[in-house]
Amino acid sequence: MKKKKKSQPLKVRKAPFVAIFVFLVLGAVGISLGEPSRVLEQAKQICLSCIGIG
Amino acid sequence: MDFVRKWVQVLFFLITNGYWYFPVTRGIYQGPLKVICSPGLNCYSCPAATSYCPIGALQQLMAGIRLALENGQIYVGFYVIGSMGVIGSFVGRMVCGWACPFGLFQELLHKIPSPKFGVWRPLRFIKYVLLLFMVILLPLFAVDAFGFGQTWFCKYICPAGTLQAGLPLIILQPGLRESLGLLFLNKLFILSFFIVWAVFASRPFCRTACPLGAFYALFNKIKLVKLRLDTERCTQCEACHAVCPMGVHFNESPDDMECISCLSCSKACNFNAISLEIGGVPLSNQAPCRPEKAQLEQ
């Protein structure tokens, strides 16, 4: 007769939710400081030296 | 599942490089979508790029911190690190396996028939050194007389930038060819090196030199969506060892920082010991074992 194996206990991990919350807050702080406009300004330009030209 | 993954990779490639008007404008996309973080390594100077590369943006911010602070602007990378951290906390290096255009490129190169070799495992530490020094410390501290740093990784190493931005731009804008020098030759050499290496070994750039992969790897133990090993089902047959494109021995280290959650091991496991889980809840762990297991048990 086969032994009935115990299934692994179901345990919800909290760490990913904490990490997501922390980084969401960090992103929100960045947004409140106006960082996205700086990022957008940089991303709109071709940085030639950044790609090895010039 | 590999078929689905390939289509997801293609979809992400098209989404993050969705500006197909560039042959007419001969420039890059300059619209508002570029405020969105690309999950994978995708140069924002690529003519088709519709989002920003987190590694490029992070270096730009690090390089300009002093000037920004002097001007009263607190641009220290919260938004970029926050965006990268949210992606990392959700899926970690799953991005490498499912959403990175340069990862897809390497996978396609590896399909070219040739003898295949592994990658010496200690080389994986190089990417953490590159992340720390060339993405953070050097742009931050090696500054010129005006207090402005350089984007060291992009400028001297990034083969994705050479492939996606450097080469297309010198084709689209012939005037740029006069500016080419040793720096570009160096970058062409690095790109060629990784292209040749990717034919013979699986994902060599991801495994040894990608700082974005290194950043996401820090989340592999805590990320929301990850692979789960059912130790009761696992027979230590080591079928997962041979199929892993990153050289991970999943049955020995289920939270390995190299795992890109491509599900190759899950497909290869005859005992359904490997499945996806979200926040600790397995998605499908109740499937019966495959016939091979029954034969082994008899």
Side-chain angles (χ1 to χ4, degrees), chain A residues 50-52, chain B residues 41 102 105-106 109 126 130 134 152-163 167 182-198 204-205 208-211:
Chain A
C50 302
I51 51 174
Chain B
L41 200 67
F102 202 66
F105 178 63
Q106 289 173 89
L109 286 171
I126 295 173
L130 291 174
M134 300 204 84
W152 287 73
F153 182 77
C154 294
K155 187 171 183 177
Y156 296 106
I157 294 179
C158 187
T162 312
L163 179 71
L167 291 173
L182 278 176
L183 186 59
F184 194 72
L185 275 180
N186 164 61
K187 290 203 66 181
L188 267 184
F189 172 77
I190 291 173
L191 172 63
S192 310
F193 173 76
F194 278 111
I195 285 176
V196 173
W197 197 4
F205 178 74
T208 65
C210 181

Side-chain angles (χ1 to χ4, degrees), chain A residues 2 5-31 33-40 42-54, chain B residues 28 30-31 34-35 44-45 52 60 74-82 85-86 89-90 151 154-155 165 169-170 176 179-180 183-184 187 219 222-224 226 228-232 277 279-280 282 297:
Chain A
K2 275 186 182 176
K5 286 179 178 177
K6 278 184 189 173
S7 59
Q8 287 179 332
L10 193 69
K11 191 180 172 187
V12 176
R13 292 183 291 115
K14 290 176 188 149
F17 298 102
V18 173
I20 289 166
F21 177 74
V22 167
F23 284 103
L24 274 175
V25 169
L26 204 63
V29 170
I31 290 170
L33 292 171
E35 272 185 13
S37 60
R38 174 80 178 129
V39 170
L40 186 61
Q42 288 167 345
K44 277 176 167 180
Q45 295 166 1
I46 302 174
C47 176
L48 291 176
S49 67
C50 302
I51 51 174
I53 300 174
Chain B
I28 65 171
Q30 295 181 315
K34 271 209 163 160
V35 79
Y44 57 48
S45 289
Y52 74 82
Q60 287 275 15
I74 313 171
Y75 295 153
V76 290
F78 288 142
Y79 173 65
V80 177
I81 294 172
V86 169
S89 307
F90 265 102
T151 54
C154 294
K155 187 171 183 177
L169 282 173
I170 58 173
L176 291 177
S179 313
L180 300 180
L183 186 59
F184 194 72
K187 290 203 66 181
F219 295 86
I222 60 156
K223 63 185 180 178
L224 187 69
K226 62 191 282 192
R228 173 193 181 98
L229 177 71
D230 187 333
T231 49
E232 287 172 3
E277 64 155 57
E297 281 183 343

Side-chain angles (χ1 to χ4, degrees), chain B residues 198-277:
Chain B
V199 174
F200 295 104
S202 172
R203 289 177 167 261
F205 178 74
C206 311
R207 292 162 81 171
T208 65
C210 181
L212 188 56
F215 180 83
Y216 288 145
L218 303 175
F219 295 86
N220 259 19
K221 284 193 198 316
I222 60 156
K223 63 185 180 178
L224 187 69
V225 183
K226 62 191 282 192
L227 289 182
R228 173 193 181 98
L229 177 71
D230 187 333
T231 49
E232 287 172 3
R233 285 179 175 231
C234 179
T235 60
Q236 309 293 335
C237 71
E238 300 185 355
C240 51
H241 293 200
V243 295
C244 181
M246 300 295 282
V248 173
H249 294 173
F250 191 80
N251 61 324
E252 293 163 10
S253 56
D255 290 328
D256 197 295
M257 289 168 88
E258 293 299 295
C259 177
I260 58 170
S261 305
C262 65
L263 300 177
S264 298
C265 52
S266 173
K267 188 181 167 191
C269 181
N270 288 323
F271 306 99
N272 290 315
I274 304 169
S275 60
L276 267 179
E277 64 155 57

Side-chain angles (χ1 to χ4, degrees), chain B residues 128-148:
Chain B
Y128 300 101
V129 175
L130 291 174
L131 173 65
L132 183 63
F133 285 93
M134 300 204 84
V135 176
I136 299 170
L137 295 181
L138 284 172
L140 193 57
F141 294 112
V143 292
D144 60 17
F146 303 100
F148 200 80

